[in-house]
Amino acid sequence: MTSERRPSRSSETTHRDDPDQEWVSGRRRFAADIAADTSELLHVAFVLSTEPHARLLDVDADAALALPGVVAVMTGADIGLRLFGRSLRDYPVLAVDRVLFAGQRVAAVAAEDPETAHRAARMVDVSYEPLSPLYDLEDVFGEHDVELHPGAQGYEGATDDHPFGNLQGADVVVDGDVDAAFAECDHVREDTFVFDRVHSAPLEPHACVVDARGEHVSVWSSNKVPNRLRADLALLADRAVGDIHVHPTNIGGDFGSKAAPYLEVVCLLLSERTQRPVAARMTYTEMLGTTAVRHPGRLRLRTGLRQGRIHAHEAEAILDGGAFAAIKPRATRVVSILGHAYANYEVCVRDERAMTVYSNNPPGGHVRSPGEFQSVFAGESQVDLLARTCGEDPIAFRLRRTTVPEVRGILEELRAGVQPWGGDGPDVGVGVATFGCRAGNGESVVAARATSSGVVLRVGVPDQGSGMYATFRLLAAQALEIPREAVHVEAIGADETLTDAGAGSSRVTAVVGSACIDACSRLLEELGPPDPDEGGGYWPAARLERMGTPEVSVEGVGRNRRGEAAAVKPTYGGLALQVTVDRMTGQFVIRRAMLVVAPGRIANPVGFRGQLEGGFVYGLSQAVLERLVVEQGQLVTASLGDYKLACIGDVPPLEIRHVRVGAETEGELRAVGELANIGVAPALANAIDDAVGVRIRTLPITGEDVWQALRSVGQEG
Amino acid sequence: MGGVDVDPAWPSIALTVNGRRHEVSVPADRRLAGLLRDDLGLTGTKLGCEVGVCGTCTVLVDGLPTSSCLTLAVQVDGASVLTVEGLAAFPELAELGRAFVEEGGFQCGFCTSGQLVAIAGLMLEQRLSSMTSEAVTEHLHGNLCRCTGYYGIQRAIDRARR
Amino acid sequence: MTLLWRRPTTLDGAIEELASDDAAIYAGGVSLVLLMNLGLFEPATLVSLAAVPGLAAVTGDDEAVDLGAMCTHARLAADPILRRTHPAAADMFAGIGNVRVRSWGTLGGNLAHADPAQDPPVMLAALHGTVSVVGPRGDRVIPVEAIAEGPLSPALDPDEIVTSVRLPLAEERSGSSYLKYLPGTKDDYATVSIGAHLQFDRAGAVRQARLVAGAVGPTVVVLGAGSEVLTGHPLDPDVLDALRVAVRDEVNPSSDRRGSADYKREMAGIVAARAASACRPASARP
Ligand code: FES
Ligand code: FES
């Protein structure tokens, strides 16, 4: 369904990870599969709060404990307050005296089989005294004296600036006097964009197996950051870091959800207590209701033109952070939502502010492009509106104002690409958006060992499902000029000798990939360069023999620090969509899509294309279908029957084009994981406006929204 | 044929899984997915949504695509079950696996067993090559993939159809 | 509580087993195990109908076809008799859920699930279908639209068993259609669905119309006013628009994830007009 046109096809081969068979034979094992082959295992089910905000009066587990097959019940009172969190530790592994959202873990039951554990969990009798809840932003900013975290100042990671009680965090980007700049503008427009809550929804629910029977603790988990998991477990379960071994485990999709120790701490404590290995696997309902969601909220953009140039830009974001800030890694406790609107254009003065507040909703966290998805929707929608006001073509308007050569190249390619689409009947429209993806900060170390039989790369990052190991093998094979079959990638799990920031933030290819390349160049320093006279193949074997050594070991480092000169360059993209709108129903159909990217160096063509295609559909699904409905603090869309994801029948034909701008960009690794998904929503809103002249400023964009908008202007069919 | 229901809480059943016959006693509420994964150790069949929507648990029961999360083990007494682990026995499916690898038919691999079984069901009945591509797509509406965007799966199927 | 599995070999045996507390009929399992997986239903005994003979046949005579309650959706979609007598119904069965649901989900299980967003009750009610039910207090026949009292509340006693659905053969110069409005993903229940069955006179005017709507109320809704608008008129644009308005004003949906009450009401009118229009016998279509 997709066609590609790329200039340098000849040198690109298609390879996937080895052993390939593991993937297609069902032998690839995930955390829940480890559980299936562990003997003497106990299964853990959690008791989840049914109240969005309440004092916890009593947890009565007698009936559950009396059920045959139940071995132990653990409550917050048993283990005391143990708080986890990335930049702020505010989230208890089990609630102690209060619950702050419906779904919060209150107790855990360990039983001989999962059915019994779940049945017993339903029999645990929890008494609550309901407290007044804060359900949404209106509640939070309304009249009340509810303070959800009265002890916030005492949390580890707390900062002093705490202007009001329910503030999770704030972020500011200011470079100039925006009021003065607005005063100089000849045209100003203001739009408010509103976005709903969505879930990262990987297909694999979180799962783990923990065996803490002896001196050492073994952990298999779908958690994507083994190093941090290990540190958290040590801290929260009072164990020495060195006693904990987190085994490398495949992850069945992450998209931001699998970064917190939701299950593992309690499983460790239960394993200690029962002296049995224990396993937990969330039901899908539990995952939807208890793991991080994309922050809902609103973003107001005010932008002024002066003599056609973007002179002043003001942004104000207010986000519902839910019950806990724990899942967010940034010290601001605001997802990265500032600086992305108008990022590709020259803007004279910016003043952008964001805040996240506490509420009695599921905690907000990172979902693929945690703030970019919303802010690029807002920014690229408003750019189109400005173009319309100026009477300019949206592509021409962008071309005239971009400062980024890659974006210029992309826009030109898009313009040429959509040319033949034009004039396709009434109520048909085309919309475009441009965007960028910056690799996250982080540092990784890769250990490389050359032996007589091959090169082994040892990495600390788990393969969370984007095919990155295949990429590392290809990078090493190219750097060392050896066959890719001679490279083996080993995951070592969490290990104190190797630094790794974990998967996420689109950093893996760029950061760990650079570490692989660095390790290979160090290997070459030790071994000397390949010699064409040695006959190719796996040449280090003969070299090692001549050197009289069985193997050579080195370590390589990769890092990204935004703002530094050597920072990984952003990857840029542009998307065009063509839609048809049924004026009577508001239903729209995306007829075709064209994605243009300026990719830098493509280490693994199959993986790269997969990230673009998968990202596009991920963005499509979240732009038009997904809405995690939480009403009065209660999850309504509690299964994949109600929380709908795009299926194979929903995806339009997609054409992918690559543009190369300047030779110097060819060799660099860039980020791509969070690129294609962020352009879909604005391109779609722009296309709908182009087709029927109504503007949707809410996410997700549904047929009903379009129908409403048409009706409000008297334009329905 | 079928086992004798001596104990209605713990019925005995006989079934064939990937060509091997098994006679087992299971609790009446054991799901087919649980029987395969926990009792028979066939963990290639995954559990995702457990409401019949995602398709990660897809197996063939007497050739019919089945959500093993919504099927009780007792219900398949006497039946023949094919899981992803059994696909290797069919040489005509080898190209499908290769195509999945080379066309980017998976990333995390969590949906892959279900996708392969769903497509294999069509290939083993020799229906794939004669179906329109719309019909093949319709057949896969219930096999979600969160990673690939389906394009790689589509390319792999197109290759297997030839 | 341990679940008991019963597999009677006669209808009477099944009725007897259903007398025990918290016993439920097990047909294909898809709806029932789904509710069990979500913790919404915890039966004590499941009574499988798989070994009861005679429940999975399709038979026809010169007045009607009878669809056995244990027929799966896939079986009905492919049935040569049904495809000939009621092609719109066969198409409807072919479009239910996903392929796995169609492989195991049964007609009887679907109707007894009493979900107003399901496809079969809407189309089968439009086709004047009736349901045969047996139970300890005797047998009865009820119209398809009367099988549900509300969402997930069938108008059946726990020990009553649906055995078949009878569809009268279509009259001459008649046409049927089933339209499912899916504005989001193709893999979903309808926001609104309409089953329509129209009979025309020689001149092409509607002699009799039956329209039924799904997903716009606690049960499927037989659209009385909507049908009245059509009777006596050809399907020209004015009539179809009058139908749209009449249906819009007749239904009283509540909001759900698939659409607000307002939207569903408007869409019911539009989809009804489109469904009626699709009923034109082939010869009468432009
Ligand atoms: S787990 Fe069975 S369909 Fe999702
Ligand atoms: S490959 Fe991850 S869900 Fe399909």
Side-chain angles (χ1 to χ4, degrees):
Chain A
M1 290 173 87
T2 174
S3 55
E4 272 200 52
R5 207 189 74 182
R6 60 167 102 90
S8 51
R9 176 175 292 272
S10 57
S11 63
E12 288 167 348
T13 47
T14 50
H15 284 306
R16 278 302 303 224
D17 199 5
D18 212 34
D20 295 336
Q21 275 311 304
E22 194 187 273
W23 299 80
V24 291
S25 62
R27 292 201 307 272
R28 186 168 174 81
R29 280 149 44 101
F30 299 87
D33 304 334
I34 309 281
D37 340 306
T38 305
S39 53
E40 294 179 61
L41 191 70
L42 289 177
H43 297 265
V44 173
F46 284 85
V47 180
L48 306 179
S49 166
T50 52
E51 288 290 324
H53 188 200
R55 209 181 309 286
L56 206 52
L57 299 179
D58 183 43
V59 181
D60 177 358
D62 291 353
L65 277 165
L67 192 70
V70 173
V71 176
V73 175
M74 183 170 277
T75 66
D78 297 341
I79 64 170
L81 191 64
R82 301 185 189 217
L83 298 167
F84 70 89
R86 295 180 69 173
S87 101
L88 184 74
R89 290 189 179 271
D90 65 352
Y91 194 155
V93 295
L94 289 177
V96 174
D97 52 0
R98 276 191 321 145
V99 290
L100 291 175
F101 76 99
Q104 189 176 341
R105 290 183 173 73
V106 168
V109 179
E112 299 290 347
D113 59 84
E115 290 91 347
T116 304
H118 282 284
R119 190 171 302 143
R122 287 198 289 274
M123 291 164 66
V124 172
D125 191 5
V126 185
S127 324
Y128 302 97
E129 179 194 322
L131 300 169
S132 348
L134 301 178
Y135 289 138
D136 51 33
L137 295 178
E138 278 60 45
D139 287 353
V140 173
F141 291 102
E143 273 300 302
H144 63 79
D145 55 4
V146 180
E147 190 157 354
L148 296 180
H149 288 265
Q153 289 304 331
Y155 294 144
E156 194 184 322
T159 39
D160 290 339
D161 53 334
H162 208 70
F164 72 99
N166 292 307
L167 184 76
Q168 274 187 9
D171 197 6
V172 184
V173 175
V174 176
D175 68 353
D177 181 346
V178 82
D179 290 332
F182 273 116
E184 292 160 2
C185 289
D186 41 54
H187 180 80
V188 176
R189 73 167 296 136
E190 181 171 321
D191 299 275
T192 298
F193 298 86
V194 178
F195 16 85
D196 220 321
R197 182 181 284 109
V198 296
H199 198 275
S200 50
L203 285 194
E204 178 208 25
H206 299 222
C208 70
V209 177
V210 182
D211 187 348
R213 277 178 297 189
E215 263 168 58
H216 295 280
V217 179
S218 271
V219 181
W220 293 261
S221 166
S222 57
N223 190 294
K224 69 165 173 177
V225 197
N227 270 313
R228 196 172 56 241
L229 175 63
R230 187 163 174 251
D232 270 341
L233 286 173
L235 184 76
L236 296 169
D238 300 317
R239 299 289 294 237
V241 174
D243 290 349
I244 298 174
H245 187 61
V246 178
H247 296 261
T249 307
N250 296 310
I251 301 176
D254 157 41
F255 314 112
S257 75
K258 288 175 174 160
Y262 297 111
L263 307 171
E264 294 87 345
V265 179
V266 173
C267 284
L268 195 163
L269 296 172
L270 275 168
S271 177
E272 275 179 345
R273 189 201 278 184
T274 60
Q275 286 299 302
R276 304 263 299 264
V278 303
R281 186 177 72 82
M282 290 190 195
T283 63
Y284 213 92
T285 300
E286 187 176 346
M287 178 165 74
L288 287 174
T290 71
T291 71
V293 298
R294 187 187 296 288
H295 290 67
R298 55 175 186 257
L299 175 58
R300 183 180 60 80
L301 299 186
R302 185 163 169 243
T303 306
L305 299 177
R306 183 188 182 199
Q307 292 163 357
R309 304 177 57 147
I310 304 170
H311 190 61
H313 174 64
E314 182 181 76
E316 182 196 34
I318 300 177
L319 302 172
D320 178 352
F324 301 105
I327 324 293
K328 289 185 278 286
R330 301 174 87 223
T332 56
R333 283 138 220 165
V334 179
V335 292
S336 169
I337 195 166
L338 302 184
H340 304 296
Y342 294 90
N344 294 340
Y345 312 103
E346 191 179 9
V347 176
C348 186
V349 177
R350 278 178 183 269
D351 187 318
E352 304 191 50
R353 293 159 201 273
M355 71 166 93
T356 315
V357 296
Y358 282 115
S359 71
N360 296 112
N361 284 315
H366 274 196
V367 173
R368 199 176 198 169
S369 320
E372 297 85 339
F373 183 78
Q374 300 93 312
S375 50
V376 170
F377 167 62
E380 282 296 289
S381 293
Q382 201 185 47
V383 169
D384 244 52
L385 289 163
L386 284 171
R388 216 164 277 271
T389 330
C390 299
E392 281 185 58
D393 166 74
I395 293 180
F397 183 88
R398 286 174 169 83
L399 265 172
R400 209 158 297 144
R401 285 158 188 87
T402 186
T403 49
V404 185
E406 284 94 336
V407 173
R408 198 167 302 129
I410 286 164
L411 284 164
E412 260 148 20
E413 188 71 28
L414 279 177
R415 177 150 66 183
V418 304
Q419 199 79 48
W421 293 2
D424 235 334
D427 305 336
V428 176
V430 174
V432 302
T434 72
F435 35 89
C437 167
R438 285 151 189 82
N441 287 335
E443 178 168 312
S444 287
V445 176
V446 168
R449 201 170 76 234
T451 70
S452 59
S453 57
V455 169
V456 180
L457 298 174
R458 305 185 77 225
V459 302
V461 58
D463 191 344
Q464 105 279 36
S466 49
M468 61 182 79
Y469 282 18
T471 304
F472 303 154
R473 296 178 69 214
L474 288 164
L475 285 171
Q478 286 163 17
L480 297 171
E481 298 179 38
I482 58 177
R484 112 184 213 286
E485 291 69 30
V487 185
H488 307 276
V489 178
E490 266 178 30
I492 53 150
D495 181 321
E496 58 202 322
T497 61
L498 284 190
T499 306
D500 197 282
S505 305
S506 304
R507 75 165 77 79
V508 174
T509 306
V511 174
V512 188
S514 307
C516 288
I517 295 172
D518 186 45
C520 289
S521 62
R522 284 165 203 268
L523 274 182
L524 288 178
E525 278 168 23
E526 299 289 325
L527 294 167
D531 178 350
D533 296 342
E534 278 168 328
Y538 183 63
W539 60 268
R543 187 71 56 87
L544 286 166
E545 210 180 297
R546 261 201 327 219
M547 292 164 65
T549 174
E551 62 175 59
V552 169
S553 295
V554 297
E555 282 188 0
V557 186
R559 67 170 64 85
N560 184 37
R561 290 265 166 271
R562 285 184 187 164
E564 280 181 9
V568 178
K569 290 226 174 66
T571 313
Y572 294 97
L575 180 69
L577 298 177
Q578 185 188 44
V579 301
T580 319
V581 181
D582 178 339
R583 276 182 189 267
M584 286 191 83
T585 62
Q587 185 178 18
F588 52 85
V589 176
I590 300 177
R591 310 213 340 202
R592 47 188 160 187
M594 179 182 292
L595 176 63
V596 180
V597 293
R601 173 174 177 187
I602 298 173
N604 172 6
V606 172
F608 183 81
R609 178 170 61 181
Q611 284 294 308
L612 295 179
E613 292 172 339
F616 168 71
V617 172
Y618 196 94
L620 175 68
S621 188
Q622 296 201 327
V624 306
L625 289 177
E626 296 176 39
R627 189 197 303 266
L628 193 78
V629 180
V630 177
E631 268 169 19
Q632 309 264 300
Q634 304 287 347
L635 177 68
V636 176
T637 48
S639 78
L640 284 188
D642 283 323
Y643 187 79
K644 298 307 293 184
L645 307 178
C647 78
I648 191 169
D650 298 329
V651 303
L654 170 68
E655 181 180 353
I656 295 177
R657 296 185 179 189
H658 297 177
V659 295
R660 306 254 170 214
V661 180
E664 85 284 1
T665 64
E666 291 273 332
E668 294 163 5
L669 289 171
R670 296 184 179 194
V672 70
E674 294 169 295
L675 179 71
N677 62 318
I678 58 184
V680 184
L684 176 61
N686 294 339
I688 289 170
D689 195 345
D690 188 47
V692 290
V694 296
R695 174 56 53 174
I696 308 298
R697 294 180 183 79
T698 51
L699 286 181
I701 300 171
T702 65
E704 177 167 356
D705 296 329
V706 176
W707 172 81
Q708 280 285 6
L710 284 166
R711 194 159 73 151
S712 69
V713 296
Q715 285 294 310
E716 77 270 29
Chain B
M1 103 120 272
V4 187
D5 292 357
V6 277
D7 181 353
W10 201 265
S12 310
I13 58 171
L15 74 168
T16 305
V17 180
N18 300 334
R20 256 184 73 186
R21 206 178 138 74
H22 297 269
E23 286 179 41
V24 285
S25 240
V26 292
D29 61 356
R30 174 79 25 103
R31 315 299 192 259
L32 175 57
L35 172 75
L36 295 170
R37 290 175 51 83
D38 300 329
D39 300 320
L40 305 182
L42 296 170
T43 56
T45 300
K46 307 300 180 194
L47 277 175
C49 69
E50 294 179 84
V51 292
V53 171
C54 74
T56 58
C57 70
T58 306
V59 299
L60 300 179
V61 176
D62 292 334
L64 293 177
T66 301
S67 300
S68 60
C69 68
L70 292 189
T71 306
L72 294 183
V74 279
Q75 191 183 355
V76 300
D77 184 20
S80 169
V81 178
L82 184 62
T83 73
V84 67
E85 290 93 344
L87 300 185
F90 299 90
E92 64 266 44
L93 299 177
E95 175 62 15
L96 179 66
R98 252 196 313 277
F100 255 70
V101 172
E102 287 166 12
E103 299 293 348
F106 56 83
Q107 286 173 23
C108 79
F110 198 75
C111 71
T112 312
S113 304
Q115 307 279 2
L116 289 168
V117 170
I119 301 161
L122 296 176
M123 293 177 76
L124 294 174
E125 288 178 11
Q126 279 154 21
R127 285 166 55 202
L128 185 66
S129 49
S130 63
M131 284 165 83
T132 62
S133 62
E134 289 74 32
V136 177
T137 299
E138 206 284 333
H139 190 85
L140 293 173
H141 276 183
N143 285 90
L144 301 179
C145 176
R146 194 59 160 160
C147 301
T148 64
Y150 305 103
Y151 297 104
I153 295 171
Q154 199 73 58
R155 283 190 293 270
I157 295 170
D158 288 346
R159 243 172 81 172
R161 276 153 74 86
R162 292 198 291 267
Chain C
M1 190 176 53
T2 332
L3 179 72
L4 304 183
W5 176 257
R6 305 286 182 186
R7 202 165 178 272
T9 51
T10 62
L11 258 186
D12 288 340
I15 292 168
E16 245 167 69
E17 299 283 10
L18 286 168
S20 64
D21 280 348
D22 291 324
I25 300 171
Y26 195 89
V30 286
S31 306
L32 195 121
V33 182
L34 189 154
L35 293 177
M36 288 166 66
N37 284 357
L38 292 175
L40 298 175
F41 183 53
E42 219 179 315
T45 302
L46 291 177
V47 181
S48 165
L49 297 184
V52 176
L55 295 179
V58 175
T59 52
D61 54 34
D62 45 14
E63 284 175 12
V65 297
D66 286 285
L67 314 176
M70 284 292 281
C71 288
T72 63
H73 308 314
R75 154 91 171 76
L76 292 169
D79 186 83
I81 300 177
L82 185 66
R83 186 138 294 280
R84 195 180 63 243
T85 59
H86 297 86
D91 286 346
M92 177 277 296
F93 283 113
I96 292 177
N98 60 40
V99 63
R100 299 186 304 279
V101 171
R102 296 195 292 274
S103 295
W104 290 93
T106 63
L107 173 60
N110 184 287
L111 294 178
H113 189 49
D115 181 341
Q118 296 279 350
D119 305 313
V122 181
M123 175 83 265
L124 301 179
L127 295 171
H128 302 273
T130 54
V131 186
S132 296
V133 177
V134 303
R137 287 158 304 281
D139 304 352
R140 58 196 183 111
V141 174
I142 51 180
V144 167
E145 62 271 23
I147 195 149
E149 281 167 354
L152 308 191
S153 321
L156 298 170
D157 289 330
D159 52 2
E160 283 189 311
I161 300 173
V162 171
T163 55
S164 66
V165 171
R166 188 170 173 82
L167 295 179
L169 294 187
E171 316 78 6
E172 251 192 299
R173 288 186 302 278
S174 65
S176 317
S177 70
Y178 181 68
L179 283 191
K180 176 148 79 153
Y181 179 50
L182 296 170
T185 166
K186 295 205 171 74
D187 175 45
D188 202 356
Y189 294 113
T191 292
V192 170
S193 70
I194 300 283
H197 178 70
L198 268 53
Q199 204 190 330
F200 299 87
D201 64 18
R202 275 177 205 289
V206 175
R207 254 190 54 174
Q208 230 191 24
R210 187 163 160 93
L211 291 145
V212 180
V216 290
T219 62
V220 301
V221 179
V222 178
L223 299 166
S227 311
E228 225 165 81
V229 169
L230 294 182
T231 309
H233 301 284
L235 292 180
D236 59 33
D238 289 349
V239 172
L240 289 172
D241 198 56
L243 172 68
R244 178 183 68 77
V245 173
V247 170
R248 179 191 68 192
D249 295 345
E250 183 174 4
V251 297
N252 189 18
S254 33
S255 301
D256 63 28
R257 186 190 64 69
R258 297 177 183 90
S260 69
D262 222 19
Y263 189 58
K264 283 181 167 233
R265 190 176 305 120
E266 294 286 343
M267 293 308 110
I270 292 168
V271 178
R274 290 178 182 180
S277 181
C279 286
R280 286 192 181 97
S283 58
R285 272 177 223 165

